[in-house]
Structure formats: structure tokens, C-alpha cells
Amino acid sequence: MASNGYRNGTGTNKGAIKPPASSNIRSSSFKSRLPPSSNHSTGSALRRTSSASFTTAAGGDGVPGRVRVAVRLRPRNAEESTADADFADCVELQPELKRLKLRKNNWESETYEFDEVLTEFASQKRVYEVVAKPVVESVLDGYNGTVMAYGQTGTGKTFTLGRLGEEDTSARGIMVRSMEEILANVSPETDSISVSYLQLYMETIQDLLDPANDNISIVEDPRTGDVSLPGATHVEIKDEQSFLELLRLGEAHRIAANTKLNTESSRSHAILMVHVKRSVLGEEVAIPSESDKSSHFVKPPKPLVRKSKLVLVDLAGSERVQKSGSEGHMLEEAKSINLSLSALGKCINALAENSAHVPIRDSKLTRLLRDSFGGTARTSLIVTIGPSPRHRGETASTILFGQRAMKVENMLRIKEEFDYKSLARRLEIQLDKLIAENERQQKAFDDEVERINLEAQNRVSEVERNFTDALEKERLKCQMEYMESVKKLEEKMIENQRKHQHDGFMKDKCNAEGPGFSEDIAEVKKLLEKETHMRKEAEKEVNKLKSQLGQHMDAGAGGDAEILKLQIALEDEVHQKKKLEEEIIILRSQMLQLTFEADQMRRCLARGGSGNAYPGLDSPMSQVRDSLSGHKTPVSALFDQVGVQKILDLLESEDANVRIHAVKVVANLAAEGEQNLWCLVSLLSFSILLVLVGQANISISFCLKRLLLFPVIKVNCSNKSKANQERIVEAGGLTSLLMLLRSYEDETVRRVAAGAIANLAMNEANQELIMVQGGISLLSTTASDAEDPQTLRMVAGAIANLCGNDKLQATLRSEGGIKALLGMVRCRHPDVLSQVARGIANFAKCESRASTNGIRSGKSLLIDEGALPWIVQNANNDSAPIRRHIELALCHLAQHEANAKDMINGGALWELVRITRDCSREDIRSLAHRTLNSSLLFRSEMRRLRIEL
């Protein structure tokens, strides 16, 4: 109970003694050296100082600012709760006094003061606000800033600084929260943010964003002493999501190891550098006027650029080798970590004691942090400690490090430059705008002048044209009136002359020719009467011919009736003949059927009576062997005597008995041999056969067993001839097979139908037909319902063939094909597993080809469907076909970078390494070797695990 009091900061220590005088003097001296903004340690006071305390730095030499130090206590973990259950915590926190007490024993303790004391219950938000937010605000104002975490291994440095908070946003660390505030306070149009993420490992600076860049040099400006890393990768940041992706990438490349003190102990110092470039305007300058001294002109403000840098340092934990259990290479790592931290401590001691010499160059870590301690950056340090009394020595060392760091004083300065480029760019833009505007106005003026001139010309032309038209119309009108007047006068004159001449002529003619005119009239009347008579005679002749034509047509109709009667009689005779032929064929078929069954019975008896009582149904293969050896069976004799076409004609007979016997003959013919079967398929499609079977009301098991025990479709599909497959599909074979698979639960029917579909699926054209007709969903349903290994093997083979088509990838997943393929591994039969592995290899190959061509992106659909664990489990299967297909699938999946992380987490990396060494096939070994070398994540992981190909 006492330990809880110490950890909450509310308990009392009756045996505690006062701290040494030096500690009190040190604390008071620190307060006297602080600027006014640093005398208040609360979060609100810190936030208020960001703008007010730095306004004079731009024009002066700088503002003093002490390194601020906060201490954070980690809660007990499960191991400490068990091992230290009977012991109190070694520290007692007093957050309201900003003090902590370090217990020596049950009676004595030492008291230390810090800028902030954070209990184990302090939230990540509060830690950010009191430790990092003042630094971030200073960076936004143009100052450099540093936030650093220091402490023993396993005390929560990485949790405090680099936690991403993907599952719980309240757990976000200082890195994520700092970037959120920076992005919220900058303008995307005028400001820019770039990020570099590095690690200092074994005194070598490595780029976490580009692992190939593993030896970056430090460059110092001889004039200003500024430190830069020109070889580091700089990535522009536009939003928070891209920043989180960079942090994930960097954390994946950071080196960590499992020690006794921490299961994921960082073996390097992580350094995140955020470069902020902001455009601001300088102060306005007043220019006095010569005429009036009281009035003045205001000079426009100068464009300035403030370049600041925020450095977030997650130091590797200090550790004692005896407690961490480090050995071998990890021991060398621990030595390098302790040496760099020791060099940092020496520099801080020298700065705290105002020593003339500060050993900056003893380590690359101190060179990188040159500006953070004793430089121009505002620095906040958070030291993390644990409560366990077993680590009291490490806790005391961490506290003393923080105490010494509080004595370091920095001189804060703004790095401000005149933005000539921005001013020139802005002036160029303004000049271009003015030029463009002038051009537009000049063009508008020219267009307006041209428009006015054109309008005036048009109006003048229109007036001239109207005047000309009016003058011409008036002239024509005068001419027309003159011509009409002249014409009228001439007509009157001619009419008067004609009247005088006509009166004289009529008088003379009547007197000379009166009797001859009457005779001409009589002759014309006679000719008219003659023509009328001839017309009547012609009409009578036409009527007579019409009547004769009608009589002839009546006589012809009577002849057609006679012919029709004869045709009906002839058809009756043909029908009777056909019925007699049908009866004869039925009798022959019954006789031959009885003979066939008797022969089968005799064969069974001759073999000792061990055969089935119904050999007609259970021994079709013996019939096939007989037919192939040249011995004709009774059914083939029927085929020779009657012919297939006539037998097929009987299937459409109106008599049900005839149809029944015809279907029996067809079924026996189907069991006879490949030659007769192909004749049957070429004359009759599967769909017609199934309909006829339903009409004849015959047991489907009888007909299908006879037809499918010697599978004609399967025989011809197994033949790689493309012509045969096309003939089968054109005859309706594919549609009928899919209907068989959908309609019947007989295991034999489904097995043979699935095998036929699998063989048809070898052709790419048939694959698309299978998809269009719903074959993928049918195969998926059959795979979930079937239990027979041979049926599952056929279904798996069909789906495996479909997996090799690039166009069917999405359809296979949406219609359950991939899930059905993976579900068939429940059978555990080697043949079924071999087909499943082949399907996975075909699917992975198509995905790899699509990713290489840029057609698709993202993770593999196989990984999304959960196939990776089974693939890894069977990568070293005893069966050679299964192992070969799985090895190919792994190589194809690894070729796409988006699958690398899941494959590493799922253990596929080790199998790929094994394939490069142990695979019996040279091509697969070479493919695996090229894939591992081409992947950035695989190379990084192998380097971390020290795997060499």
C-alpha cells in the first residue's frame, strides 16, 4: 500500500531526510537563471510563452532558454508485480510540488525537483502538452526545437515518443501529435514541411526511409557550425496519413531485439527531423515625406522565410549487461549504445559546469545534438523511470542525468532570411498579370474600333443600296407604264381592223359555199355510228372469253381434289408401313436385349457365379473391352441392321412403349464403345436426350449409368483435339453437363460430369462459357456438398483450370470459387490437395502477371481469403506435386511488394529461403532467389535476421 502512495505522489515518507544543500542550491540557481517565461511550469504557462518570449530574437542576438526536464514514471508490469510484490516502489512522486523522492531504504530518501513530474496515470495528451507543445509552438515561430526521451531499457521511451495510436487514438505519442499541430498551423500554399527519419546504429547513421542508404555522413558549416545530413532522404508531408505511413515504414526498418529487460528493446537511437519552412511578412517601414514631415509613406513589408527544425530523439535505453543478458552481437550493440550515451552525459556535464572544452566530437550522437544542448534550439527532455527497487541504481543514474541537463542553457535564435525568390516570383506573377490584362484591354479596344468601323461601313453600304434599289424600281415602273399604254393603243387599233375585215369575209363565204357544208356534216355522223357498233361487238367477245375461262378453272379445281385424295391415301399407307416397321424394330430390340442379358448371365456363371445378378447394369467395361477387341455385341448388331438414325427417330414416337424401348437401346448403345458413342453425340445433343428420358418416364440412374460409365464426353474431352471440344460444345454438351451437376445428387453422375467440365475448362474459350452459364457457382456448391474424394478431385481440377484465366480472377472470388477451392482441403486426399495446390499456383501466377503489367494493385486475393497459412504449412509437403505447386505459388505471391509484409508475418520468408537452397528444380530456385533480391522489405528483413542467400 505504501508503494501506491509513493507512485501517486500523495503518500508521505516519515523517515525521509532533506536533500543535500547542493541540491537546494542547484534548484534555486536554476530558477534565477530562467527567463520570465520559464519560471512557471504549468502547461498553460508554457503555452502562453511561445509567442511573447521570442519576439525580440529576430532582431537581437537571441533569447536565453534553459533545457526543460520532465520525469515520467512507468507503471509496474506483470513481471514486477509478481517479483516485487512484497517491496515498495523505489520512488515517491509529489506532482503538485514537482518533486520526487528516491528511496535509499525504508528510512532515508533523496528529493529532486523537476520542471514537471508525471505519474504513471498521466495521459499521452498531458505528456505532450507539458513536454513537447511549447517546443512545437516555438518551431512554428521560427526557432529550432528538440524533444528527447532518455531512460533505462523498458521504461517507456518509445511509447511516450513514437506510439502511433492506430488502435487507440488516445495512445498517440509525441511524434504524431507534433505533426498534427504543425499541419494544423501551416498554409499548404505558402509553407512546406519535409521529414527525415534516421537511426544511429553502431556509430553509423542509417536512413530508415531508404535502408540501402546505410552510411550517411555529417556535414558541419564552418561559418555557423550548423549540422546537416545532405545524404538523408527528405519527404514532403501534405497530410497526417502520409506521415503515419512514413513512421510505419521507419519502424519496420528500425533494429530491435529481445532482452531480459524488454522483449522489443531498441538497439539504435531513432532521430526524426521535421523541417518547417514558413513565409512571413516583415514589419512595415515608414518613409517621411519631404513636404510634410508629419506625413509619411509606408513601405510594403518584405517577404521573409523562416526555416526551423524540430528534432525528436528516441534514445536507445541504457542497460547493464548483467541484467539485460546481452551476449555476442547484442553485447557489441549494448557497448555502442552505452558509449554514445556516456559521451552525451559528458557533454551535458561540461555544459552544466561551464567548462571551456565540450567533447562534442566523441560520438556522432553528440554531433547530431550539438544544437540541442548549448546551441540555439529550445530543448525539452523527458526522462522515464521504472518503479522497481531492483533497478534503483539505473533509476538514480537517469534522475541525475535529468538534473544535470536542467543546468544547460541555450540561446534561442530565429533563422530568418529575405525571400528573394518568393518576392521575384510574386513580382513576375504580377507583371505577367499586368501584361496579360494590358493585352486583353488593347485587344478589346482594337476589337471595339474595328466593330464601329465595320458598323459604319455597313450602314453606308445599306443606304447606298437602298437608294439604288429605289431609283431602279422607279425607272422600271415608268417604263412598264409607258409600255402598257402603247400596248393598249395597239390592241385597240388591231381589234378595230379585225372587226372590219371579219364582217366583209363572212358575207362573201356564205354567199358562195352554203350546200357543200351540210353534206360534210352528214358524213361525219355515219362514221360515228359505225364506230359505236364495232365497240359493242368487241364487248360481247370479251364477255364470251371470260365465261370460257371460268369453265376451265372449275374443271381444274375438280382435278386438284382428286390429286389431294390420292395424296391422303398414300400418306395413310406410309403411316401404316411406318407403324409396322416400328413394331418390327421393337420386337427385334426385345429379342436382342434378352439375348444380351442371357450372354451376360452365362459369362458370370462361367466365371464361377461371383458376378452380379444384373450384369447389364454393372459390367459395362467388359462390354467395352469386347467391342474394342473386335467382338460385336448384340446391340452393335442392332446398330448395323437398323441404323442409329432410325433408332433416334423412334425417340420421338407418339407411343410411350416405343419411346421406352428406344431409350433402352440408346443407353445400351452408349455403353458399347467409343465409335458408336461418337455417332450418338454427333446426332443427338445432351439436352434432347435428357428431355426424352424425362418423357419416357425411365429411371435416370439406369440411363445415366449406361451412358456415363463409359463417359463419351469425358473420353472426347480428354483428347486434346480442339476440334472435338468445339463439336461437343456446339452439340450442347457443356449446357447438359452443367444441368446434370445442378439437378442430380447421384455421386457417379456428379463425378463424371465434373470431370468432363474439368477437361473442357482446359480451353480458354470454354472457360468463359462456363463462367457465363454459372459454372463457377455450380462447382462451388458441388465442392461444399460432395464428400467422395474422386468427385472432389474432379471439381478441384475444374476450378484449378479456371484459376489460370486472367479474366476470371474477380468472378472466381465473388462467386465463391476461391473459398470452395480452399474448403476442399478438408478431404486431405493427396490427389485433391494436388489439384488445390495447382489452382492456387495458377491464381497466384495470374495475379503476379497483372501486378507486373500495372493492371491491379493491393494485396493478393488469396491472402485476403486466408490461404497463406495453408500455403506455408504445405510448402514442404511430402508429395512432390503438392510441394512443387506450393513453391511456385509462394514465388509468384512474393513478386508483388504489397504481399511482402503479410508473408513476413506469416512465416513465408523462411520457406522462400528454404526454396532457394533445397528445391529440386533449378527454375524454381532461381525464381525464388530473384524474388527475394528484388523486394525491399524482404532484403531489409533478411538483413535484420542476418540471413544470407
Side-chain angles (χ1 to χ4, degrees):
M1 295 300 291
S3 63
N4 290 335
Y6 296 140
R7 293 165 69 187
N8 293 335
T10 58
T12 59
N13 188 356
K14 296 180 180 180
I17 62 174
K18 294 183 178 180
S22 60
S23 299
N24 294 332
I25 295 172
R26 195 162 53 234
S27 301
S28 61
S29 64
F30 292 157
K31 293 180 179 178
S32 65
R33 294 168 61 189
L34 289 175
S37 61
S38 302
N39 291 334
H40 304 284
S41 58
T42 62
S44 61
L46 286 171
R47 288 191 294 272
R48 288 195 298 268
T49 62
S50 61
S51 299
S53 60
F54 298 134
T55 54
T56 61
D61 294 334
V63 174
R66 177 178 59 82
V67 174
R68 296 183 54 82
V69 181
V71 61
R72 186 181 192 184
L73 178 64
R74 171 183 59 77
R76 285 193 178 192
N77 54 33
E79 190 267 336
E80 291 173 347
S81 298
T82 302
D84 301 336
D86 298 332
F87 300 95
D89 292 350
C90 66
V91 292
E92 176 188 355
L93 301 185
Q94 295 177 340
E96 65 280 358
L97 300 176
K98 295 182 175 30
R99 294 190 308 188
L100 67 81
K101 292 183 178 181
L102 179 63
R103 301 180 58 185
K104 291 183 177 180
N105 48 44
N106 292 333
W107 302 276
E108 296 181 357
S109 62
E110 294 179 350
T111 303
Y112 299 93
E113 292 185 1
F114 288 92
D115 294 302
E116 194 68 40
V117 176
L118 303 169
T119 68
E120 66 270 37
F121 303 109
S123 65
Q124 292 281 77
K125 182 178 180 181
R126 172 167 168 74
V127 172
Y128 169 74
E129 288 181 347
V130 301
V131 175
K133 188 170 184 178
V135 178
V136 175
E137 291 176 346
S138 300
V139 171
L140 291 172
D141 288 335
Y143 296 89
N144 291 340
T146 302
V147 178
M148 186 168 63
Y150 179 89
Q152 183 189 5
T153 298
T155 54
K157 299 183 298 300
T158 302
F159 176 84
T160 301
L161 208 64
R163 185 79 169 184
L164 298 182
E166 295 176 320
E167 297 83 7
D168 183 8
T169 56
S170 64
R172 290 168 299 166
I174 290 176
M175 288 183 178
V176 179
R177 293 179 185 270
S178 299
M179 184 55 67
E180 287 178 354
E181 182 159 356
I182 292 174
L183 289 172
N185 288 276
V186 298
S187 173
E189 291 80 11
T190 59
D191 305 336
S192 65
I193 305 170
S194 62
V195 168
S196 299
Y197 202 8
L198 313 168
Q199 71 173 353
L200 180 60
Y201 175 70
M202 302 284 287
E203 284 300 307
T204 301
I205 301 176
Q206 301 176 358
D207 196 335
L208 292 176
L209 304 181
D210 183 11
N213 190 8
D214 57 358
N215 190 8
I216 301 174
S217 58
I218 301 174
V219 177
E220 296 182 9
D221 190 339
R223 184 173 58 87
T224 62
D226 292 341
V227 176
S228 62
L229 301 171
T233 301
H234 291 265
V235 180
E236 292 287 336
I237 300 297
K238 297 298 182 182
D239 52 26
E240 182 182 352
Q241 189 61 37
S242 60
F243 178 68
L244 291 176
E245 292 294 332
L246 289 180
L247 288 183
R248 291 192 196 98
L249 178 62
E251 288 300 320
H253 294 150
R254 189 177 178 186
I255 299 174
N258 185 5
T259 66
K260 293 181 180 179
L261 297 178
N262 190 357
T263 56
E264 292 185 4
S265 176
S266 300
R267 314 307 292 168
S268 64
H269 307 298
I271 303 167
L272 178 69
M273 294 184 177
V274 182
H275 300 270
V276 181
K277 182 179 179 181
R278 304 192 67 184
S279 297
V280 296
L281 295 176
E283 298 180 354
E284 296 179 348
V285 180
I287 303 176
S289 175
E290 295 180 358
S291 60
D292 187 4
K293 295 184 179 181
S294 60
S295 63
H296 60 273
F297 300 100
V298 177
K299 187 177 181 180
K302 297 180 180 179
L304 302 176
V305 174
R306 289 181 179 175
K307 296 181 180 179
S308 56
K309 178 173 64 176
L310 175 62
V311 181
L312 302 171
V313 185
D314 180 12
L315 295 174
S318 60
E319 61 182 38
R320 293 186 179 179
V321 177
Q322 294 178 351
K323 291 186 178 182
S324 64
S326 299
E327 58 183 11
H329 185 72
M330 290 177 58
L331 179 60
E332 296 299 323
E333 292 175 340
K335 289 180 181 180
S336 177
I337 293 170
N338 290 335
L339 283 175
S340 60
L341 293 177
S342 176
L344 179 62
K346 290 179 182 179
C347 290
I348 290 177
N349 287 340
L351 291 170
E353 296 172 0
N354 292 323
S355 175
H357 172 68
V358 180
I360 292 293
R361 297 188 175 275
D362 287 357
S363 172
K364 288 187 178 181
L365 177 62
T366 55
R367 293 178 66 190
L368 287 173
L369 300 178
R370 179 175 185 174
D371 193 45
S372 303
F373 293 96
T376 61
R378 169 177 272 253
T379 302
S380 286
L381 172 67
I382 180 167
V383 294
T384 57
I385 59 175
S388 176
R390 291 180 295 162
H391 305 304
R392 184 190 179 281
E394 289 80 354
T395 301
S397 175
T398 301
I399 292 173
L400 292 177
F401 180 87
Q403 289 287 299
R404 289 192 296 270
M406 290 176 66
K407 300 170 66 175
V408 177
E409 188 101 13
N410 293 346
M411 186 62 66
L412 310 182
R413 289 188 179 88
I414 292 180
K415 187 176 182 181
E416 199 171 65
E417 299 176 356
F418 185 78
D419 192 1
Y420 291 99
K421 293 182 179 179
S422 176
L423 179 60
R425 186 165 55 252
R426 193 170 69 224
L427 292 176
E428 285 179 358
I429 293 173
Q430 292 179 356
L431 180 60
D432 291 339
K433 288 182 178 179
L434 291 175
I435 292 174
E437 182 65 25
N438 184 38
E439 289 180 351
R440 283 194 295 269
Q441 292 179 358
Q442 184 66 33
K443 182 68 167 60
F445 177 75
D446 294 341
D447 292 343
E448 184 67 18
V449 171
E450 185 177 358
R451 185 186 65 79
I452 294 173
N453 290 333
L454 183 61
E455 184 178 353
Q457 291 176 2
N458 292 335
R459 292 180 63 181
V460 170
S461 300
E462 185 179 358
V463 170
E464 290 178 351
R465 188 168 53 253
N466 292 336
F467 177 76
T468 304
D469 292 342
L471 183 62
E472 184 67 20
K473 287 179 180 179
E474 189 67 23
R475 187 179 63 80
L476 291 175
K477 182 179 178 182
C478 294
Q479 289 181 355
M480 291 299 295
E481 290 178 353
Y482 173 76
M483 294 298 295
E484 287 179 358
S485 300
V486 173
K487 187 176 180 180
K488 286 179 181 181
L489 292 173
E490 290 179 351
E491 287 177 355
K492 287 181 179 181
M493 184 181 65
I494 293 171
E495 185 178 357
N496 291 330
Q497 292 177 357
R498 189 182 297 128
K499 283 182 179 180
H500 291 294
Q501 292 177 359
H502 185 266
D503 292 342
F505 177 76
M506 289 301 295
K507 289 179 180 180
D508 295 339
K509 193 170 184 178
C510 289
N511 294 327
E513 299 180 359
F517 184 74
S518 300
E519 292 177 359
D520 292 338
I521 293 174
E523 186 178 356
V524 170
K525 287 183 178 178
K526 288 179 181 179
L527 291 175
L528 181 61
E529 290 176 358
K530 185 177 179 180
E531 290 293 333
T532 303
H533 178 70
M534 291 176 65
R535 183 176 63 79
K536 290 181 179 179
E537 291 294 334
E539 289 179 355
K540 290 179 180 179
E541 187 69 22
V542 169
N543 292 331
K544 182 178 179 181
L545 292 174
K546 286 183 179 179
S547 62
Q548 292 178 359
L549 179 61
Q551 292 176 1
H552 285 297
M553 291 179 68
D554 293 339
D560 291 341
E562 292 292 335
I563 293 172
L564 183 61
K565 289 180 181 179
L566 291 176
Q567 287 179 349
I568 293 173
L570 182 61
E571 288 179 357
D572 291 339
E573 291 295 333
V574 172
H575 184 67
Q576 293 295 332
K577 181 180 177 182
K578 187 175 181 181
K579 289 186 68 176
L580 290 175
E581 289 179 354
E582 290 177 356
E583 292 178 1
I584 292 171
I585 292 173
I586 290 170
L587 293 175
R588 285 182 179 179
S589 66
Q590 291 177 351
M591 180 185 67
L592 293 174
Q593 180 69 23
L594 293 175
T595 305
F596 174 73
E597 293 179 357
D599 290 342
Q600 295 296 325
M601 183 63 71
R602 281 196 298 273
R603 292 179 185 176
C604 293
L605 294 176
R607 288 195 295 268
S610 60
N612 197 319
Y614 299 94
L617 296 178
D618 298 330
S619 60
M621 294 308 296
S622 63
Q623 302 170 26
V624 174
R625 286 193 298 269
D626 292 341
S627 65
L628 294 176
S629 61
H631 301 289
K632 286 192 176 182
T633 62
V635 181
S636 63
L638 175 65
F639 166 66
D640 293 337
Q641 296 174 10
V642 180
V644 174
Q645 187 61 51
K646 290 185 179 181
I647 297 173
L648 297 180
D649 291 339
L650 294 179
L651 293 172
E652 301 178 1
S653 175
E654 297 177 357
D655 192 344
N657 292 327
V658 174
R659 292 199 305 271
I660 291 172
H661 289 290
V663 172
K664 287 184 178 180
V665 172
V666 170
N668 284 314
L669 181 61
E672 194 74 59
E674 181 177 355
Q675 180 180 0
N676 296 339
L677 286 172
W678 183 244
C679 295
L680 174 64
V681 171
S682 63
L683 295 172
L684 181 66
S685 69
F686 267 92
S687 57
I688 296 176
L689 179 60
L690 290 173
V691 171
L692 292 175
V693 169
Q695 290 176 350
N697 197 20
I698 299 175
S699 173
I700 192 64
S701 61
F702 172 78
C703 293
L704 289 178
K705 284 183 180 179
R706 286 302 181 92
L707 183 62
L708 296 176
L709 285 176
F710 190 87
V712 57
I713 296 299
K714 186 178 179 182
V715 167
N716 285 282
C717 289
S718 297
N719 187 357
K720 296 302 185 290
S721 173
K722 184 177 180 181
N724 288 347
Q725 291 189 357
E726 292 177 354
R727 293 172 66 186
I728 292 169
V729 174
E730 290 174 359
L734 177 59
T735 305
S736 301
L737 288 170
L738 293 174
M739 187 170 66
L740 287 175
L741 207 60
R742 181 187 295 109
S743 305
Y744 298 103
E745 298 181 357
D746 186 86
E747 199 68 33
T748 303
V749 175
R750 293 200 298 182
R751 179 174 67 253
V752 179
I757 293 173
N759 289 319
L760 281 175
M762 294 179 182
N763 192 331
E764 185 174 354
N766 297 339
Q767 292 172 358
E768 297 182 1
L769 289 175
I770 292 172
M771 178 194 70
V772 171
Q773 298 184 20
I776 297 176
S777 58
L778 275 176
L779 291 170
S780 303
T781 305
T782 306
S784 61
D785 296 340
E787 297 295 337
D788 179 52
Q790 294 304 319
T791 302
L792 290 175
R793 180 174 68 87
M794 298 296 183
V795 174
I799 297 178
N801 290 336
L802 295 175
C803 286
N805 193 324
D806 296 335
K807 303 176 182 177
L808 305 182
Q809 300 279 298
T811 307
L812 279 169
R813 186 190 185 189
S814 62
E815 296 190 6
I818 301 301
K819 189 172 292 183
L821 188 68
L822 297 175
M824 283 185 280
V825 301
R826 68 182 187 276
C827 178
R828 299 183 181 276
H829 194 279
D831 294 339
V832 178
L833 296 182
S834 177
Q835 295 298 328
V836 172
R838 183 170 68 88
I840 290 175
N842 289 342
F843 197 91
K845 183 177 181 181
C846 291
E847 282 192 327
S848 175
R849 185 161 54 239
S851 300
T852 303
N853 295 334
I855 299 175
R856 73 178 306 275
S857 61
K859 288 197 302 185
S860 169
L861 298 180
L862 292 173
I863 295 179
D864 289 340
E865 292 290 341
L868 187 59
W870 186 83
I871 294 174
V872 174
Q873 181 182 355
N874 291 270
N876 200 15
N877 196 287
D878 294 336
S879 174
I882 298 175
R883 185 172 63 254
R884 184 180 70 255
H885 292 311
I886 292 298
E887 289 173 347
L888 283 172
L890 280 174
C891 293
H892 290 310
L893 287 174
Q895 288 179 343
H896 191 27
E897 191 74 12
N899 302 329
K901 186 174 181 181
D902 292 285
M903 295 184 71
I904 291 172
N905 295 334
L909 175 60
W910 296 103
E911 293 299 331
L912 288 169
V913 173
R914 180 193 60 78
I915 292 171
T916 61
R917 298 172 179 173
D918 302 337
C919 182
S920 58
R921 290 182 50 174
E922 177 64 27
D923 56 340
I924 299 179
R925 288 202 310 272
S926 300
L927 179 60
H929 196 279
R930 289 197 309 272
T931 302
L932 289 177
N933 285 331
S934 63
S935 172
L936 187 65
L937 287 177
F938 283 141
R939 292 205 311 271
S940 176
E941 184 68 13
M942 288 190 296
R943 185 163 54 249
R944 188 180 71 83
L945 299 174
R946 289 172 175 78
I947 299 174
E948 295 183 359
L949 297 180

